[in-house]
Amino acid sequence: MKALVLSGGTGSRLRPITHTAAKQLVPVANKPVLFYGIESLVAAGVTDIGIIVGDTAEEIRTAVGDGSRFGARVTYLPQEQPLGLAHAVLIARDWLGDDDFVMYLGDNFVVGGIAELVDEFRETRPDARILLTKVPDPSAFGVAELSPEGRVVRLEEKPSDPRSDLALVGVYLFTPGVHDAVRAIEPSARGELEITDALQWLVDAGRTVQSTVISGYWKDTGNATDMLEVNRTVLEGLPPAVLGDVDDASELVGRVRIEAGASVVRSRIVGPAVIGAGSVVRDSYIGPSTSVADGCLISGSEVEFSIVLGDSRIENAGRIEGSLIGRMVRMSGAARAPRAHRLVLGDHSQVQIAP
């Protein structure tokens, strides 16, 4: 069995962070989201992995390498344009051959992994198995309609009038029969080959499409709000450790991890939280659900429920909460209360300012 991991999207909902970084490599608890997916596949016994890459191919290659660090063998499959999930299957046809495969969206996060689902699929081998979860706004997702017996009868991509509240999770399991489907369908109104259309083709052709409704935690980490929620969830299971230096004037409360080379001085850190290697926290408060990446400086500030990426500096900046701070950011307090806000913002930035 093989795995097809999709990592070619543009990450428009995470801009401006993704102007300079692949969305699949934005870290959760200081580890890229993509790595969690690869680890889940390897834990399920799927080690032959093809990664669909686009404009950020070189960055993905540099981060993942040949896959040996994960116990996997990785092949990179270029996709010139992100033309839909079914298009990714189409261009991976030669590499997939006649093997069963898992298709895993590289920016999705499933707590608990997929080992049981893969084992069940290996035993029963339906033409396709999809994962579903109930969501409050199904119109933003691919949506499945089930019969009273639980059989998949209809699928639609981002319907304006959803027939159910069951959204497709970004993990799909297929036998080679799906290749007939992706060759048969036409591009949708938005110009993409939709995997929902391929699945509907299988249903209409009388093929077996089974579903599993998951009650565990799943997130599509395509926006900052979901990234912060996933970060919170992962941090809650992070093993605490003090591998760096913490002075006697500092206090660590709860599940806190201080990586090697990090330094905490006259500060209070309330977990779950992680401070990355080589980072310095001085005269500051780090609150729950916060991850500070490697090489950062937090001084004279309060940071809570936030993600701070590598080599950023936050100095005398007051209280920061519910924020995603990019790499090499410089934040500092003004010398006095300003009469006007002074900003330098990149394309697609989002800022909330108190009146």
Side-chain angles (χ1 to χ4, degrees):
M1 193 171 192
K2 292 180 178 178
L4 188 64
V5 177
L6 276 60
S7 298
T10 59
S12 58
R13 292 179 294 156
L14 270 175
R15 290 173 180 163
I17 298 294
T18 50
H19 277 311
T20 55
K23 65 176 180 176
Q24 299 84 4
L25 296 181
V26 176
V28 168
N30 289 356
K31 182 165 68 176
V33 171
L34 176 61
F35 288 11
Y36 292 99
I38 294 174
E39 290 169 355
S40 289
L41 290 165
V42 172
V46 183
T47 58
D48 198 359
I49 298 174
I51 300 183
I52 299 288
V53 292
D55 292 342
T56 58
E58 194 56 40
E59 189 179 2
I60 299 290
R61 286 175 184 267
T62 299
V64 177
D66 63 1
S68 57
R69 63 184 290 189
F70 304 97
R73 181 173 67 252
V74 169
T75 301
Y76 294 94
L77 305 168
Q79 184 183 33
E80 293 185 3
Q81 292 181 315
L83 296 177
L85 305 188
H87 181 259
V89 176
L90 192 65
I91 65 173
R93 178 68 179 93
D94 290 342
W95 179 79
L96 288 167
D98 292 326
D99 292 315
D100 296 349
F101 67 98
V102 184
M103 185 167 72
Y104 198 115
L105 274 59
D107 59 352
N108 275 226
F109 191 92
V110 181
V111 171
I114 60 171
E116 290 185 11
L117 294 162
V118 170
D119 288 343
E120 184 180 351
F121 180 81
R122 282 182 167 130
E123 291 177 5
T124 59
R125 293 194 74 240
D127 292 285
R129 177 173 286 278
I130 58 176
L131 274 63
L132 305 172
T133 191
K134 292 186 176 183
V135 296
D137 181 17
S139 64
F141 301 92
V143 175
E145 180 184 358
L146 305 182
S147 70
E149 299 79 26
R151 183 171 52 87
V152 178
V153 295
R154 185 176 176 85
L155 301 108
E156 289 185 278
E157 185 65 30
K158 298 180 175 62
S160 56
D161 185 18
R163 293 171 176 262
S164 82
D165 60 355
L166 293 172
L168 277 77
V169 174
V171 180
Y172 308 79
L173 300 101
F174 294 113
T175 63
V178 72
H179 298 301
D180 294 333
V182 299
R183 285 194 300 266
I185 62 174
E186 298 291 334
S188 65
R190 59 178 186 165
E192 296 188 4
L193 290 177
E194 310 287 1
I195 199 64
T196 44
D197 290 342
L199 288 163
Q200 186 64 52
W201 186 94
L202 290 172
V203 171
D204 294 341
R207 308 286 182 90
T208 304
V209 178
Q210 297 178 352
S211 66
T212 298
V213 179
I214 62 173
S215 56
Y217 187 86
W218 164 78
K219 278 290 185 181
D220 170 359
T221 61
N223 59 60
T225 299
D226 287 342
M227 286 291 299
L228 293 171
E229 287 296 335
V230 172
N231 192 60
R232 181 210 301 269
T233 299
V234 176
L235 286 174
E236 288 173 351
L238 197 69
V242 179
L243 307 177
D245 297 323
V246 179
D247 72 356
D248 293 338
S250 296
E251 182 183 15
L252 307 183
V253 180
R255 190 178 292 271
V256 176
R257 185 175 182 89
I258 310 297
E259 300 289 3
S263 177
V264 179
V265 181
R266 297 184 301 274
S267 297
R268 187 169 191 257
I269 302 180
V270 179
V274 59
I275 308 300
S279 289
V280 176
V281 179
R282 182 189 304 123
D283 299 316
S284 294
Y285 166 76
I286 305 297
S289 305
T290 299
S291 61
V292 177
D294 298 351
C296 294
L297 169 65
I298 313 291
S299 178
S301 304
E302 298 183 4
V303 183
E304 184 168 325
F305 187 47
S306 295
I307 298 173
V308 182
L309 303 191
D311 300 307
S312 290
R313 301 172 67 93
I314 301 175
E315 300 179 84
N316 305 313
R319 182 173 178 84
I320 296 166
E321 186 175 338
S323 299
L324 174 55
I325 310 298
R327 297 171 179 84
M328 301 183 71
V329 168
R330 300 293 181 264
M331 298 180 64
S332 60
R336 59 185 176 84
R339 295 184 179 179
H341 299 286
R342 185 176 183 179
L343 307 171
V344 178
L345 302 175
D347 295 348
H348 304 283
S349 294
Q350 296 184 33
V351 179
Q352 292 180 325
I353 298 175

